[in-house]
Amino acid sequence: MKQIPINTDYITLGQFLKLSDCISTGGQAKFFVVDTKIEVNGQAENRRGRKLVPQDVVTVEGFGQFEVVSS
């Protein structure tokens, strides 16, 4: 599981997808969350504004599993 460090209290799913290299631009997030199976802590998620906090585990189909950690 790859760890993605953040230096704020939370990060949105859209920002996270860019930070984790699943997408190359923030503008792609809108379509990516609709077209790709994404789970946050085992629950299906399709809102790019979903707030992620340290210890959240994000699974992105085709990209793997990531954990949000505090930097």
Side-chain angles (χ1 to χ4, degrees):
M1 182 179 336
K2 187 175 177 191
Q3 294 187 327
I4 304 296
I6 63 170
N7 56 9
T8 55
D9 291 340
Y10 68 88
I11 187 170
T12 65
L13 180 58
Q15 292 169 322
F16 173 85
L17 291 170
K18 187 170 182 231
L19 198 60
S20 63
D21 291 328
C22 293
I23 58 176
S24 54
T25 67
Q28 293 175 312
K30 182 178 185 177
F31 306 103
F32 189 83
V33 298
V34 172
D35 297 337
T36 309
K37 182 180 176 192
I38 300 172
E39 291 183 352
V40 176
N41 301 326
Q43 303 264 354
E45 186 57 70
N46 62 1
R47 298 172 296 161
R48 69 179 192 268
R50 162 76 189 260
K51 292 179 181 176
L52 304 173
V53 296
Q55 270 123 55
D56 278 348
V57 175
V58 182
T59 306
V60 181
E61 187 176 50
F63 291 91
Q65 200 169 44
F66 305 89
E67 180 181 14
V68 180
V69 296
S70 199
S71 63

